[in-house]
Amino acid sequence: MAIQGGWAGKILRVNLTEGKISHEDTEKYKNYIGGMGFGYKVIWDEVLAGTKAYDEANKIVFGVGPLTGSGALCSGRTNITSLLASNPFHGVSDSHMGGHFAVELKYAGYNGIIIEGKSERPVWLRIEDDDVSIEDASLYWGHGTFKTITGVTAVMGGDSQVAAIGQAGENMVNLSVIRTGPSHSAGGHGGVMGSKNLKAIGVKGTGAVHINMENMEWYNLNKFTMSIIGANNQHVVPRTPQPWAEHDHPGSRWTAKKDLYWEKADPPIETGICTPEQTNKVGYRTMKAMLDLGANGPKYTVRMGGCASCPIRCHSHVNVPQLKNYGADPNVANTCMGFFGPFSVMFKGVNIEGEHKDDATVIARALGSHVADEYGVWCNYGQLSRDLKWTYERGILRRVIPAAEYNSIRWDLLKKGDPGFFEDFYRRIAMKEGELSRLGEGAYWIDRHWNLGEEYWTDKNNKLWTKIGYPVHHANESNGQVGALISSMFNRDAQCHTHQNFLGSGLPTKLQQDVAEELWGDRNAIDEPANYRPMSRGKARFEKWSIVRNVLHDSLTLCNWMWPLALSPLKERNYRGDTALEEKYFTAVTGEEMSEEELDLAAERIFTLHRALTVKQMGTVNMREEHDRLTGWQFDMDPDKEAFTAGTIKLDRDDFEKGLTMLYEEMGWDPQTGAPTRETLEKLQLKYVADELETLDLLPA
Amino acid sequence: MENENTVSALDQIKEKSAAGFVVHESGLSAEITEEERSMVGEIKGEKGVYFFDPNTMAPRYASIMVNLEEKNYLALAAETIRNDSRTYPRTTPLALFSESSFSFTQETVEIILRSFQDKPGFEDIEKCGASNGAMHLFSKKYLDPAQAEYLCEWDEVGRAENQ
């Protein structure tokens, strides 16, 4: 079927070795929806197994999907796919960024950009609709992301969007980001751009995304979605007791309340009480600065920001004049780990003379965010700072770093709690200065270099999830085996929020269990927090659904920090959301009829292709033993408690093995090895994948 | 004959509820009719009946307001803690009672804590603490102490580290 709406007609291919720019028809990739799906398809077809992330033969795919730029709610995300250098076997992986880059790419007429080869000199890519050129980037090379984005924007105009790397990416630091807008970073693939001498991509589009639905129907679809949307992470109850709310929860990001202000707005803006019916106030619901920056966050908040097409404003934009004391711009924007990751580098605490501790916290979080973003360093979901702390406190850094270098590091600032340490630390990481900078290679590689021993992996407080070298990210603390198994399936931290958003909605466990019974046929899919029961079929279905929807969102593209809208804030709906909404938007935008199940199946195809790519790259079918194996602390924590007793998130080894088997079965993978079978690959229209794996002897027996 | 300018009891209740308050029966300037009564929510307190509009105010919040109106702080705190432990389940941060809508004074909070220890009828209510120094409360009738300890630490420290 020819493309009607949603997708732009073409994909841009840029060969930096030859300086060649070409276009390709999107039809070839449509079975993979877009975004993440496009990325995996390109990597499977075009990047040979054994290729390393920084090899010229590696490719990097910036993918958007049929819903990107359509105006569907929370559809402003860019999915970036490539091999990941921090991963031991350079497995395929994704990084994502919000902002407005994705929609601009669609307006320029592209569903994605495939970057291949390597330029001889630093360049940036200029895209203005069909006018695409490779430009000299010598002016920006060696500079941070802010200067680069500002510079490219000055050339292209204020209505352009720019994605850029900092010095970390240029120097092929494994933990580096690609950044866009004031506050949006994709962690992990900055070095791939650097390896290709590609400093930035600027894009400006004058086109539109066509929607195959009558205006009033489209209006009503969006109106309905606005009625069931919650706050950030689809939290559907307020954080504090409020007149309208039957439920509330102190973990909710629906923080709006009386007397809570964006205090530095002119005039200050009160978030106030925002009821579910006040859909024109959805943007006030999440006053994230009070979470991102602590108790005094609101005092410095100018506004909340976010991404294209998203009514949820989850990025804190603050003005912190004290940052001038550190030579930094006082205007900083970020969210969540963008603040917490850098801040936790100050593991000895923060102490700034003359500042109240709550102001000092704001200063340090804002400064850390700014410095890390400028250099373009990725925190590996907080692992970079944990690695610094772990190796420092055990004397490892003193052992492995030459004395002259060690003595030059500003440990004095760290010990004093002076956030001036950020500049010294991040510069060394980004510029690959000395032995300390190995921390920027990621957990697996620093262990290889420094021989950290088994304790490094099995220390619960170090949070490393598997020996692939990534940390906990909504794992066993999120419904036990459910989060644990989801976290074991990817080649980096699982950026899956489907399950986490459901569990963190703020609604009572029993109500969640009612919904679980409706969705997965088993209320036992959900346990009370920290009171887990053994593995069940319902949990396996919940896991699969969570992964499949995550992959679907990263392909459409929708924000998985909000979608799916399985729950809602509406008591009259008994707090039910609508899990068919993705399908409704897909059909509305593309004009192609596809059921909820068919769309999930397409996402299952994409995730199974990810698994096949991992099998091929690792050269083994034995995913259970070689890939999905935990570091061990998950089973040995809380020695005074048994798994499946109240008060612990401890897992049980046999139960985890059973869980792997059940998840493999749900995915149609081989229950012993966890590798995709020919039967499943063919069912998912991936016969060509099965054929290639067979020639490599990588199909399970 | 009823004064044309008199605001009906129903409208008074709606207006108050929309502003976040319950209305004591004595606070109505017009008599509430049976028909109106069928359209509103009511809670019998120790000092009479309170009305609220269920379209804009949840019964649980109305209950909080009634207890606040009657200065029944101890019962309110206990009810809140038990509801949190039973329903979600979760522990209740002591700090919650210093925030709106509770807005207890420090002195009131201290009296409540002492009462939980000393007065009969609150034997199920226990304290637990997080590594950041925060105190939470829970009902061991509904929540296992070990689970409460985990949930308290998660709420105060763990959640922020796992965003």
Side-chain angles (χ1 to χ4, degrees):
Chain A
M1 182 186 282
I3 285 171
Q4 299 174 31
W7 288 284
K10 54 190 184 290
I11 289 174
L12 181 64
R13 185 181 290 271
V14 179
N15 187 308
L16 292 171
T17 305
E18 300 170 6
K20 185 181 169 190
I21 294 163
S22 57
H23 298 160
E24 292 179 18
D25 198 309
T26 301
E27 283 288 339
K28 173 184 173 185
Y29 298 101
K30 263 184 61 188
N31 242 8
Y32 305 87
I33 303 176
M36 177 185 272
F38 283 2
Y40 293 163
K41 174 65 174 160
V42 170
I43 299 293
W44 180 273
D45 286 350
E46 303 182 18
V47 178
L48 292 175
T51 304
K52 303 295 184 196
Y54 301 146
D55 289 351
E56 188 173 335
N58 185 25
K59 305 193 180 189
I60 184 167
V61 183
F62 290 73
V64 293
L67 299 190
T68 318
S70 68
L73 299 187
C74 317
S75 59
R77 298 201 56 92
T78 307
N79 191 94
I80 301 167
T81 306
S82 190
L83 303 180
L84 187 72
S86 58
N87 177 288
F89 48 90
H90 292 239
V92 68
S93 183
D94 301 275
S95 50
H96 323 111
M97 57 189 188
H100 296 71
F101 183 89
V103 300
E104 203 66 32
L105 191 61
K106 285 290 287 288
Y107 299 159
Y110 302 102
N111 293 309
I113 313 168
I114 303 168
I115 306 284
E116 57 191 23
K118 176 184 179 181
S119 171
E120 285 183 355
R121 56 187 171 80
V123 294
W124 65 279
L125 183 63
R126 175 177 177 153
I127 304 169
E128 293 191 35
D129 294 329
D130 285 338
D131 183 9
V132 181
S133 56
I134 298 169
E135 306 284 339
D136 175 34
S138 55
L139 198 60
Y140 313 121
W141 200 260
H143 292 288
T145 61
F146 289 100
K147 183 165 183 178
T148 303
I149 290 173
T150 302
V152 173
T153 303
V155 173
M156 294 193 67
D159 50 353
S160 64
Q161 296 295 327
V162 182
I165 57 171
Q167 296 94 330
E170 292 176 11
N171 293 316
M172 288 173 270
V173 173
N174 293 350
L175 304 188
S176 57
V177 304
I178 299 166
R179 207 173 72 71
T180 185
S183 56
H184 305 273
S185 295
H189 290 126
V192 177
M193 276 181 70
S195 72
K196 298 183 178 306
N197 276 326
L198 179 63
K199 180 68 175 173
I201 302 172
V203 58
K204 187 160 73 172
T206 57
V209 177
H210 299 289
I211 297 167
N212 259 281
M213 188 178 240
E214 294 299 320
N215 286 349
M216 276 314 293
E217 286 181 76
W218 179 250
Y219 171 81
N220 287 330
L221 178 60
N222 281 301
K223 189 177 175 187
F224 170 72
T225 309
M226 284 295 282
S227 78
I228 66 166
I229 204 165
N232 181 217
N233 286 179
Q234 191 56 8
H235 290 172
V236 297
V237 306
R239 189 177 180 85
T240 52
Q242 295 186 4
W244 61 271
E246 182 183 31
H247 298 290
D248 57 80
H249 200 287
S252 174
R253 293 184 181 179
W254 192 316
T255 51
K257 62 178 181 179
K258 191 169 177 294
D259 295 332
L260 178 65
Y261 285 83
W262 301 352
E263 293 183 30
K264 234 174 181 180
D266 184 18
I269 291 173
E270 184 184 18
T271 61
I273 287 176
C274 302
T275 69
E277 292 75 23
Q278 292 171 306
T279 51
N280 61 333
K281 291 178 73 178
V282 170
Y284 290 150
R285 285 182 189 169
T286 301
M287 198 315 194
K288 190 86 185 328
M290 62 177 284
L291 308 177
D292 288 338
L293 294 146
N296 278 4
K299 178 176 155 185
Y300 296 90
T301 302
V302 178
R303 67 182 176 94
M304 298 300 299
C307 306
S309 300
C310 186
I312 308 297
R313 313 314 282 170
C314 65
H315 283 233
S316 305
H317 290 242
V318 294
N319 177 277
V320 186
Q322 297 95 319
L323 296 199
K324 290 177 189 167
N325 299 336
Y326 302 89
D329 191 307
N331 298 303
V332 171
N334 222 314
T335 189
C336 291
M337 291 306 287
F339 285 115
F340 276 85
F343 174 70
S344 50
V345 161
M346 300 295 296
F347 61 85
K348 288 186 172 296
V350 174
N351 180 23
I352 304 172
E353 192 175 345
E355 297 286 357
H356 184 275
K357 68 177 178 57
D358 291 334
D359 291 310
T361 297
V362 173
I363 294 165
R365 288 188 184 173
L367 183 63
S369 158
H370 178 82
V371 174
D373 272 359
E374 174 72 336
Y375 283 118
V377 176
W378 178 40
C379 74
N380 192 14
Y381 200 69
Q383 192 57 39
L384 175 59
S385 54
R386 276 192 296 277
D387 285 341
L388 171 68
K389 181 173 188 278
W390 204 91
T391 52
Y392 176 88
E393 290 183 336
R394 285 160 181 77
I396 289 162
L397 294 181
R398 189 176 280 282
R399 168 171 66 83
V400 300
I401 296 176
E405 180 193 339
Y406 189 89
N407 292 332
S408 73
I409 298 169
R410 297 300 305 274
W411 302 119
D412 58 317
L413 298 177
L414 178 70
K415 289 174 189 169
K416 277 195 304 186
D418 184 335
F421 181 69
F422 287 129
E423 173 61 30
D424 187 64
F425 177 73
Y426 280 107
R427 189 199 70 248
R428 291 170 191 268
I429 298 292
M431 308 305 281
K432 282 196 170 173
E433 284 182 22
E435 190 68 18
L436 180 76
S437 71
R438 285 202 188 278
L439 287 170
E441 294 183 21
Y444 172 83
W445 298 107
I446 62 172
D447 180 35
R448 282 279 297 266
H449 290 301
W450 294 345
N451 191 22
L452 300 177
E454 196 59 17
E455 188 201 355
Y456 172 67
W457 299 98
T458 58
D459 180 355
K460 181 186 97 167
N461 296 320
N462 208 25
K463 296 190 175 184
L464 283 161
W465 190 250
T466 80
K467 286 208 168 177
I468 290 173
Y470 60 83
V472 164
H473 191 163
H474 306 317
N476 54 333
E477 83 281 9
S478 298
N479 211 33
Q481 306 95 331
V482 173
L485 288 158
I486 289 168
S487 293
S488 307
M489 293 294 113
F490 293 87
N491 289 322
R492 54 168 292 179
D493 61 302
Q495 302 162 92
C496 179
H497 293 79
T498 317
H499 65 304
Q500 179 62 21
N501 293 353
F502 189 95
L503 298 162
S505 64
L507 292 171
T509 299
K510 283 188 172 52
L511 201 153
Q512 292 183 17
Q513 289 172 330
D514 293 342
V515 179
E517 188 160 16
E518 294 162 15
L519 293 180
W520 310 299
D522 184 358
R523 61 187 299 105
N524 293 330
I526 307 285
D527 290 330
E528 282 186 7
N531 196 3
Y532 303 137
R533 293 167 294 185
M535 187 62 198
S536 67
R537 185 56 62 180
K539 286 184 180 178
R541 291 192 199 115
F542 183 21
E543 289 152 11
K544 178 185 176 183
W545 183 79
S546 296
I547 292 172
V548 163
R549 285 298 168 109
N550 177 196
V551 167
L552 177 64
H553 300 149
D554 288 335
S555 301
L556 282 171
T557 56
L558 292 172
C559 177
N560 186 245
W561 279 256
M562 284 302 300
W563 289 80
L565 309 185
L567 300 167
S568 83
L570 301 181
K571 188 182 179 191
E572 61 267 32
R573 289 180 62 89
N574 204 8
Y575 302 103
R576 268 60 169 179
D578 186 350
T579 59
L581 262 185
E582 291 94 327
E583 171 269 312
K584 289 172 185 169
Y585 271 105
F586 180 86
T587 300
V589 171
T590 67
E592 296 189 15
E593 293 288 340
M594 202 183 258
S595 69
E596 184 179 354
E597 292 74 22
E598 287 170 329
L599 205 52
D600 280 347
L601 193 68
E604 199 174 332
R605 174 184 308 126
I606 294 165
F607 188 59
T608 295
L609 183 56
H610 172 277
R611 190 70 163 183
L613 271 162
T614 305
V615 165
K616 187 167 78 161
Q617 183 77 347
M618 291 183 76
T620 176
V621 293
N622 199 349
M623 292 289 98
R624 183 188 289 264
E625 296 297 333
E626 304 292 330
H627 184 278
D628 303 339
R629 192 60 58 208
L630 305 188
T631 47
W633 60 264
Q634 302 89 341
F635 308 113
D636 301 324
M637 63 188 293
D638 298 344
D640 57 329
K641 294 189 176 83
E642 296 291 325
F644 313 126
T645 60
T648 184
I649 59 171
K650 185 176 191 168
L651 300 175
D652 175 82
R653 284 187 166 80
D654 291 340
D655 182 78
F656 187 76
E657 295 302 323
K658 183 180 172 186
L660 283 173
T661 303
M662 291 174 103
L663 180 55
Y664 297 161
E665 287 170 350
E666 288 296 320
M667 295 301 304
W669 300 343
D670 176 48
Q672 272 74 50
T673 62
T677 63
R678 172 172 284 282
E679 183 185 1
T680 294
L681 289 165
E682 291 190 358
K683 185 189 92 175
L684 295 172
Q685 300 172 37
L686 296 171
K687 179 177 180 300
Y688 68 97
V689 173
D691 291 344
E692 186 173 339
L693 288 176
E694 187 166 22
T695 64
L696 297 167
D697 198 21
L698 289 173
L699 277 181
Chain B
M1 185 179 167
E2 192 178 340
N3 186 333
E4 283 181 2
N5 294 325
T6 300
V7 179
S8 72
L10 180 62
D11 284 344
Q12 290 176 54
I13 293 166
K14 282 183 173 178
E15 186 183 339
K16 279 286 192 182
S17 289
F21 299 103
V22 291
V23 187
H24 188 266
E25 55 190 340
S26 66
L28 293 172
S29 60
E31 191 171 342
I32 185 166
T33 66
E34 281 307 309
E35 187 187 358
E36 287 175 325
R37 205 155 187 157
S38 70
M39 297 164 71
V40 300
E42 61 181 81
I43 294 174
K44 188 165 179 6
E46 291 173 3
K47 297 173 184 171
V49 173
Y50 298 81
F51 297 105
F52 65 97
D53 177 6
N55 294 312
T56 55
M57 183 177 284
R60 181 170 158 257
Y61 193 84
S63 173
I64 293 173
M65 289 295 105
V66 169
N67 276 310
L68 287 172
E69 284 282 329
E70 299 196 337
K71 298 184 170 43
N72 203 356
Y73 303 133
L74 182 62
L76 173 56
E79 182 183 306
T80 301
I81 293 160
R82 287 171 181 146
N83 182 61
D84 286 353
S85 294
R86 180 180 56 234
T87 305
Y88 293 97
R90 66 180 187 230
T91 56
T92 307
L94 185 63
L96 175 74
F97 297 117
S98 302
E99 297 173 8
S100 63
S101 305
F102 301 92
S103 303
F104 294 172
T105 64
Q106 186 57 33
E107 186 187 5
T108 301
V109 170
E110 285 166 11
I111 290 170
I112 287 170
L113 285 178
R114 276 201 303 275
S115 300
F116 284 157
Q117 276 191 315
D118 301 339
K119 285 194 173 181
F122 302 104
E123 292 80 3
D124 62 315
I125 293 179
E126 299 252 328
K127 295 176 196 167
C128 56
S131 60
N132 68 352
M135 183 194 292
H136 283 215
L137 299 153
F138 69 99
S139 166
K140 62 183 178 187
K141 183 176 175 186
Y142 303 109
L143 198 53
D144 183 281
Q147 190 178 1
E149 189 182 341
Y150 174 91
L151 294 175
C152 171
E153 180 69 14
W154 173 257
D155 189 44
E156 291 289 339
V157 181
R159 187 181 290 115
E161 293 177 351
N162 292 275
Q163 300 204 44

